[in-house]
Amino acid sequence: MSAPAATLSSKHIARQSRSNLAFALACLPRERKNDMISFYAFCRIVDDIADDPEAPVAERQRELDAWKAAIMRGDGTLHPLLAETIPLAAKYGFDPALLIEIIDGVASDLTRDRYETLPDLLGYCYKVASVVGLVSIHIFGHRDPACHDYAVNLGYALQLTNILRDVGQDARDTRRIYLPLEDLRAHGVTEEQILAGQSNEAFLRLMDTFYQHARRYFDLAASQLPRAERRNMIAAEMMAQVYSEILEKLRRNGFQVFARRERLHPLRKGAILASYLLRGLIGMV
């Protein structure tokens, strides 16, 4: 592991990251916010281990396996973030095996850079995003079991949006293509075209199909959030708002994923944060 990853505290990691999840935590009560920061930093570090280009794949896998073994033992001595994160399972009543699933998800990138079908891809999205949501709703304080389906489908929506936004960056940096190969063939788009950063009408139709996949999961998640849980899920709903707007911006700007990485203007993100903080204060649902 790189020195920064090994030495920075969870709060430093959250501050240094420009993640929308770290941004959304501002609306949580202090104790839950601090625990979510620890969990977020855990997710960030295991992802960094998996993505470290300077370490051989076998070394990265060994390190991830060591983290999994520590979780299974309930032993936080391997890393300060494990010492912060492992106790959260007992505190909030979630299965620590969920933390292992997250590690298995990021480890997928060590050995796999293509997915044949959307269901194949959703299996990956489940581990790296939906499981993060399942842990998060426990820390947020959910009570209704229906929040489970909400978290799973919102996780799919968020991760599919990330994948759509990062098509160009993934192709340039790692030659990885997450878009299902089945969809590429259906639209007459080749892997070589994506790796070369070439957009045309066929590519734009492919992007729109993938947009529809993500939009469907945003809508499904919204329909599954119990009304009584809306206040507890304010941070999750902020994430949904931010990423839904990024998704719409991608489509509105013609899916220019090879030219730029779409993001919301800081003023717009600030307005979203203010809106949800106000909802929390006055109990709006």
Side-chain angles (χ1 to χ4, degrees):
M1 188 190 305
S2 64
T7 58
L8 290 180
S9 70
S10 55
K11 289 184 174 60
H12 278 109
I13 292 168
R15 280 198 296 268
Q16 288 190 352
S17 170
R18 295 187 177 183
S19 163
N20 289 312
L21 175 57
F23 159 80
L25 301 183
C27 65
L28 292 176
R30 178 170 296 182
E31 183 175 0
R32 294 184 190 275
K33 176 183 175 181
N34 289 338
D35 288 340
M36 273 300 301
I37 286 173
S38 295
F39 173 56
Y40 166 77
F42 162 85
C43 295
R44 180 75 268 151
I45 290 300
V46 296
D47 190 53
D48 287 347
I49 293 170
D51 288 343
D52 185 358
E54 297 181 4
V57 169
E59 180 181 320
R60 286 180 261 168
Q61 185 66 66
R62 281 195 297 272
E63 190 161 5
L64 292 172
D65 287 342
W67 279 58
K68 287 168 58 178
I71 292 168
M72 287 188 281
R73 295 193 307 269
D75 178 7
T77 60
L78 179 67
H79 192 283
L81 284 176
L82 284 169
E84 292 181 29
T85 306
I86 289 174
L88 298 179
K91 181 176 181 178
Y92 291 106
F94 64 85
D95 189 339
L98 293 175
L99 302 176
I100 293 173
E101 281 200 89
I102 294 169
I103 296 175
D104 284 339
V106 300
S108 300
D109 285 339
L110 299 179
T111 58
R112 190 170 187 180
D113 58 10
R114 301 289 190 276
Y115 291 86
E116 180 62 28
T117 67
L118 180 63
D120 290 339
L121 180 60
L122 290 177
Y124 167 77
C125 294
Y126 177 81
K127 289 183 177 180
V128 299
S130 295
V131 174
V132 172
L134 291 174
V135 172
S136 298
I137 62 172
H138 281 84
I139 300 176
F140 294 160
H142 88 295
R143 293 182 176 86
D144 191 326
C147 280
H148 178 281
D149 290 340
Y150 164 77
V152 169
N153 287 307
L154 182 57
Y156 289 151
L158 300 179
Q159 190 63 25
L160 292 176
T161 300
N162 265 335
I163 288 169
L164 185 63
R165 178 180 61 178
D166 293 344
V167 167
Q169 181 176 314
D170 288 334
R172 285 191 306 271
D173 294 352
T174 64
R175 298 184 65 81
R176 183 175 289 130
I177 299 173
Y178 288 103
L179 301 173
L181 299 181
E182 183 178 72
D183 285 353
L184 265 68
R185 291 192 296 271
H187 289 85
V189 176
T190 67
E191 296 176 46
E192 291 73 21
Q193 176 183 342
I194 292 176
L195 294 174
Q198 297 172 350
S199 180
N200 59 14
E201 288 302 316
F203 177 76
L204 294 178
R205 287 193 294 271
L206 170 65
M207 292 294 95
D208 195 66
T209 294
F210 205 77
Y211 160 89
Q212 298 294 343
H213 294 327
R215 183 75 266 159
R216 183 170 65 253
Y217 282 107
F218 274 119
D219 293 344
L220 182 57
S223 73
Q224 293 171 324
L225 177 60
R227 184 178 182 86
E229 292 285 4
R230 288 183 181 175
R231 190 167 188 177
N232 289 334
M233 296 299 116
I234 283 179
E237 287 293 273
M238 276 185 62
M239 286 285 288
Q241 180 75 31
V242 169
Y243 275 88
S244 180
E245 291 193 16
I246 290 172
L247 181 66
E248 296 304 325
K249 189 174 182 180
L250 281 160
R251 192 187 203 195
R252 186 169 62 249
N253 291 339
F255 302 113
Q256 297 184 49
V257 294
F258 297 125
R260 65 191 189 211
R261 188 173 188 265
E262 296 286 7
R263 60 183 77 242
L264 296 189
H265 191 282
L267 290 178
R268 176 57 190 154
K269 289 177 67 174
I272 293 171
L273 174 60
S275 170
Y276 279 88
L277 285 173
L278 180 61
R279 293 186 193 192
L281 286 172
I282 65 177
M284 289 177 62
V285 294

